[in-house]
Amino acid sequence: MAYPFQLGLQDATSPIMEELLHFHDHTLMIVFLISSLVLYIISLMLTTKLTHTSTMDAQEVETVWTILPAIILILIALPSLRILYMMDEINNPSLTVKTMGHQWYWSYEYTDYEDLNFDSYMIPTQELKPGELRLLEVDNRVVLPMEMTIRMLISSEDVLHSWAVPSLGLKTDAIPGRLNQTTLMATRPGLYYGQCSEICGSNHSFMPIVLEMVPLSYFETWSALMV
Amino acid sequence: MAGTGPGARFYRQIKRHPALIPMIGFIGLGMGSAALYLLRLALLSPDVWVLASREQPLTVPLPLCSWDRKNNPEPWNRLSPNDQYKFLAVSTDYKKLKKDRPDF
């Protein structure tokens, strides 16, 4: 989950998110280098007494500042495309969970082995227990087995929503009349928070998502209890 | 006159400004890659139909993309589990995939 004054991305909980974190570090470093170089050059240009008023021809420097940015862009594009294709790979999920967006809550259906359906509403601020996170806690968390590939099928019953969990690198739009698929794989147990990411009305900021990743035996016990 | 065709003017421009050569190179690379990828989508994408009427002799092996709805309907049904659908396969070994769905 996010913490106050956070500047970077949340810690990765899935292999794809780890790749995204490294890519973000790589690209941000390039951005910082270029920005500081440009800032430095601007400061030099603004504080010099030298002038040159006739037309200049500068073939060499023009060649350099064409080739160098092109190389930098290729160095950004290649890892980016690699991660993009990696996200779409075939991975044989062991479980399928459906989530439907409503105004203003999420509902979850686990129908592989039994008929398990429940709604997940945000806990209002007045009813939070000490230690719980404001605007992020829900009454029924999405309990899932960790270290297993899970297929999430996402759609909506009314307007556009978006099912997002930043620490797993997931964000998939929930579109009425359409079924979108994403795969989820958590490498460690814990609670992972996300919020609806597509404007959907007055309570758009108040329909969070909480994933509770647990070992498989705990998941089996929980799903037997919940049916 | 001799030196006023577009090729001659282009050549003189390049000689005066050789810094344009890498620029033309990279833009050509970008536009060429885009055009080639569009061609790949048009000819090898198994889930599109484009035209619906041209006759095609049945002795020609049917391509994966369908430009001919009559003789090559539903090209996506002819994909085997070992066909690489995506342009780039990072860690999926397509040779090892098995078919676990029933046939039609």
Side-chain angles (χ1 to χ4, degrees):
Chain A
M1 42 147 286
Y3 49 86
F5 301 107
Q6 175 175 343
L7 286 180
L9 298 167
Q10 294 184 22
D11 287 341
T13 309
S14 78
I16 293 284
M17 190 59 197
E18 286 172 33
E19 298 275 348
L20 285 170
L21 277 183
H22 295 313
F23 174 67
H24 178 259
D25 289 345
H26 162 79
T27 309
L28 196 62
M29 178 55 76
I30 295 177
V31 165
F32 281 158
L33 286 174
I34 296 176
S35 309
S36 39
L37 177 68
V38 170
L39 200 61
Y40 176 60
I41 293 177
I42 291 177
S43 62
L44 283 183
M45 291 204 283
L46 290 175
T47 51
T48 181
K49 293 199 174 56
L50 304 167
T51 55
H52 182 132
T53 52
S54 58
T55 316
M56 291 174 256
D57 186 32
Q59 296 303 311
E60 305 79 9
V61 66
E62 295 231 353
T63 316
V64 170
W65 70 37
T66 302
I67 295 186
L68 213 52
I71 293 177
I72 292 175
L73 286 176
I74 291 178
L75 285 181
I76 297 177
L78 289 176
S80 173
L81 286 173
R82 181 181 145 264
I83 297 180
L84 194 61
Y85 277 89
M86 214 188 265
M87 285 182 189
D88 275 351
E89 282 186 329
I90 302 168
N91 44 27
N92 287 328
S94 5
L95 182 65
T96 301
V97 178
K98 291 171 274 196
T99 171
M100 303 295 288
H102 307 255
Q103 278 177 315
W104 288 279
Y105 62 97
W106 294 93
S107 65
Y108 299 96
E109 299 165 37
Y110 297 60
T111 49
D112 279 345
Y113 301 104
E114 311 127 339
D115 195 5
L116 172 54
N117 287 293
F118 57 88
D119 296 336
S120 181
Y121 280 84
M122 181 185 85
I123 296 186
T125 310
Q126 327 289 64
E127 294 166 29
L128 285 172
K129 299 204 211 43
E132 287 188 335
L133 302 165
R134 191 180 72 95
L135 305 185
L136 283 176
E137 300 288 352
V138 296
D139 50 4
N140 297 317
R141 296 185 187 137
V142 189
V143 177
L144 290 170
M146 63 185 226
E147 291 175 346
M148 284 169 59
T149 313
I150 298 163
R151 173 189 288 123
M152 292 299 303
L153 294 172
I154 299 159
S155 184
S156 165
E157 298 270 15
D158 37 45
V159 298
L160 293 179
H161 299 273
S162 184
W163 198 81
V165 184
S167 69
L168 287 149
L170 297 175
K171 184 180 291 169
T172 309
D173 283 356
I175 298 167
R178 182 186 172 90
L179 201 56
N180 279 333
Q181 175 181 301
T182 188
T183 38
L184 199 158
M185 214 297 260
T187 51
R188 53 201 170 94
L191 292 173
Y192 304 105
Y193 293 85
Q195 293 175 293
C196 176
S197 301
E198 183 69 41
I199 187 88
C200 51
S202 57
N203 284 0
H204 154 68
S205 319
F206 308 116
M207 46 183 293
I209 297 141
V210 185
L211 298 182
E212 185 176 334
M213 309 303 299
V214 292
L216 184 57
S217 49
Y218 284 72
F219 171 71
E220 290 169 343
T221 321
W222 169 85
S223 73
L225 280 174
M226 285 289 283
V227 173
Chain B
M1 286 201 292
T4 55
R9 276 184 280 139
F10 176 70
Y11 187 60
R12 272 204 305 264
Q13 174 106 351
I14 293 280
K15 276 213 291 199
R16 273 207 313 265
H17 301 281
L20 286 177
I21 297 172
M23 177 86 90
I24 295 174
F26 286 115
I27 293 187
L29 190 70
M31 288 175 52
S33 310
L36 282 177
Y37 191 69
L38 272 180
L39 217 59
R40 178 196 142 91
L41 284 179
L43 297 176
L44 295 177
S45 161
D47 46 24
V48 284
W49 273 330
V50 189
L51 298 175
S53 59
R54 257 183 332 124
E55 282 292 338
Q56 204 173 37
L58 281 170
T59 50
V60 173
L62 297 176
L64 269 184
C65 163
S66 183
W67 285 76
D68 180 3
R69 203 157 176 162
K70 239 192 319 173
N71 290 334
N72 193 7
E74 301 182 358
W76 52 83
N77 280 336
R78 295 185 296 108
L79 267 181
S80 84
N82 292 329
D83 282 343
Q84 178 167 331
Y85 174 68
K86 291 275 186 181
F87 178 64
L88 172 62
V90 180
S91 61
T92 307
D93 186 357
Y94 278 86
K95 306 278 179 313
K96 298 220 181 91
L97 293 179
K98 290 189 307 291
K99 175 172 176 173
D100 54 0
R101 305 266 179 276
D103 285 324
F104 273 102

